[in-house]
């Protein structure tokens, strides 16, 4: 009986592994094709949290016309790097309009993001390239969204996402029945993070 349970357990583990390989490959492609924004406010005070959203709005307004017609994450990253001063100026102006004098830092980094569930989309956990804006001490609850392929996933339409992502990537972000797989990917990415 013990032998039977060992075989059953091993079979189940192998089945899950083989089921996850194509899904993980689609997630890996998604990591390469998506560019995100990550904003860390000075603190968790109501004023700083409100300021974080003002900075988000100012930065997205600044970058939106620059992203029109781009066709790749590489273009988004290049345009963002080329316009870093404009982005910082827009973010700093939003901070000043909020009657604060915090410095703002902007870096393009490869960051770990947890699985994020939106109304129509789910972004799997993993490492994504992102524009990271740090306001002041950068100790508050953060904000993130997707800058490319769309400015923010919450405002994206399924047809726009379908145009900008491969079939496998689109299935990853729009499927309603992948919660179990996302959890496995999240655990896998967490384990990998320990070795990076």
């Amino acid at each position: 009986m013990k032998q039977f349970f060992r075989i059953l357990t091993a079979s189940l583990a192998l089945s899950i592994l083989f089921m996850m390989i194509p899904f993980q490959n689609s997630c890996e492609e998604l990591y390469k094709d998506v560019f995100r924004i990550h904003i860390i406010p000075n603190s968790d005070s109501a004023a700083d949290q409100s300021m974080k959203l003002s900075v988000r709005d100012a930065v997205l307004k600044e970058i939106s016309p620059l992203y029109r017609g781009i066709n790749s994450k590489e273009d988004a990253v290049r345009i963002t790097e080329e316009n870093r001063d404009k982005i910082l100026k827009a973010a700093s102006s939003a901070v000043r309009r909020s009657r604060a004098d915090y410095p703002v830092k902007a870096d393009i980094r490869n960051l770990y993001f947890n699985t994020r569930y939106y109304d129509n989309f789910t972004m799997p956990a993993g490492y994504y390239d992102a524009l990271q804006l740090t306001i002041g001490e950068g100790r508050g609850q953060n904000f993130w969204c997707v800058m490319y392929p769309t400015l923010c996933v919450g405002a994206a339409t399924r047809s726009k996402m379908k145009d900008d992502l491969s079939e496998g990537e689109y299935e990853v972000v729009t499927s309603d029945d992948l919660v179990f797989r996302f959890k496995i990917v999240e655990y896998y990415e967490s384990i990998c993070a320990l070795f990076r």
Side-chain angles (χ1 to χ4, degrees), residues 22 26 42 111 142 172 176:
S26 293
N42 184 64
L111 303 168
N142 57 41
V172 166
D176 295 329

Side-chain angles (χ1 to χ4, degrees), residues 1 26 116 185-186 191:
M1 194 64 159
S26 293
R116 175 73 177 186
V185 169
E186 200 166 317
I191 292 168

Side-chain angles (χ1 to χ4, degrees), residues 1 36 54 56 67 76 84 94 99 125 137 140 142 144 147 151 154-155 161-162 165 169 171 177-178 187-188:
M1 194 64 159
R36 299 178 80 162
S54 296
R56 172 203 63 192
Y67 274 27
R84 188 183 308 227
R99 294 186 169 86
E137 296 294 318
N142 57 41
W144 62 86
M147 289 178 64
L151 283 178
M161 292 294 278
K162 192 164 191 166
L165 298 175
E169 293 167 342
E171 183 181 334
D177 61 346
L178 297 176
Y187 292 138
Y188 171 78

Side-chain angles (χ1 to χ4, degrees), residues 54-55 57 62 99 145:
S54 296
V55 168
D57 294 344
E62 183 68 37
R99 294 186 169 86
C145 72

Side-chain angles (χ1 to χ4, degrees), residues 11-162:
S11 297
L12 180 61
L14 285 173
S15 296
I16 290 171
L17 177 66
F18 286 120
M19 175 185 75
M20 289 303 299
I21 290 172
F23 182 74
Q24 180 63 29
N25 287 340
S26 293
C27 289
E28 292 288 336
E29 286 301 311
L30 190 65
Y31 305 149
K32 293 176 189 171
D33 292 340
V34 169
F35 185 56
R36 299 178 80 162
I37 185 170
H38 183 227
I39 303 173
I40 310 170
N42 184 64
S43 73
D44 283 331
S45 73
D48 286 350
Q49 287 296 310
S50 178
M51 180 191 310
K52 166 186 75 179
L53 299 178
S54 296
V55 168
R56 172 203 63 192
D57 294 344
V59 168
L60 293 178
K61 183 178 178 183
E62 183 68 37
I63 204 79
S64 180
L66 302 172
Y67 274 27
R68 284 195 190 110
I70 64 171
N71 297 314
S72 69
K73 181 189 97 173
E74 290 74 21
D75 288 343
V77 172
R78 179 183 49 76
I79 287 169
T80 302
E81 286 175 339
E82 290 171 357
N83 292 280
R84 188 183 308 227
D85 290 341
K86 287 181 183 178
I87 292 167
L88 275 171
K89 184 177 179 181
S92 296
S93 293
V95 168
R96 283 192 303 280
R97 281 192 303 276
S98 297
R99 294 186 169 86
D101 194 27
Y102 302 132
V104 180
K105 291 188 303 187
D107 298 298
I108 295 176
R109 302 179 59 202
N110 189 263
L111 303 168
Y112 179 79
F113 291 89
N114 292 325
T115 299
R116 175 73 177 186
Y117 300 96
Y118 297 91
D119 291 339
N120 297 317
F121 303 96
T122 302
M123 295 301 294
Y127 282 88
Y128 293 85
D129 288 330
L131 169 65
Q132 184 177 56
L133 296 167
T134 306
I135 304 167
E137 296 294 318
R139 295 181 186 213
Q141 292 292 315
N142 57 41
F143 166 85
W144 62 86
C145 72
V146 176
M147 289 178 64
Y148 180 84
T150 58
L151 283 178
C152 276
V153 159
T157 63
R158 283 186 179 246
S159 62
K160 175 71 173 132
M161 292 294 278
K162 192 164 191 166

Side-chain angles (χ1 to χ4, degrees), residues 172-192:
V172 166
V173 299
T174 59
S175 181
D176 295 329
D177 61 346
L178 297 176
V179 174
F180 174 71
R181 290 186 189 182
F182 283 130
K183 274 294 171 200
I184 291 175
V185 169
E186 200 166 317
Y187 292 138
Y188 171 78
E189 288 295 331
S190 297
I191 292 168
C192 289

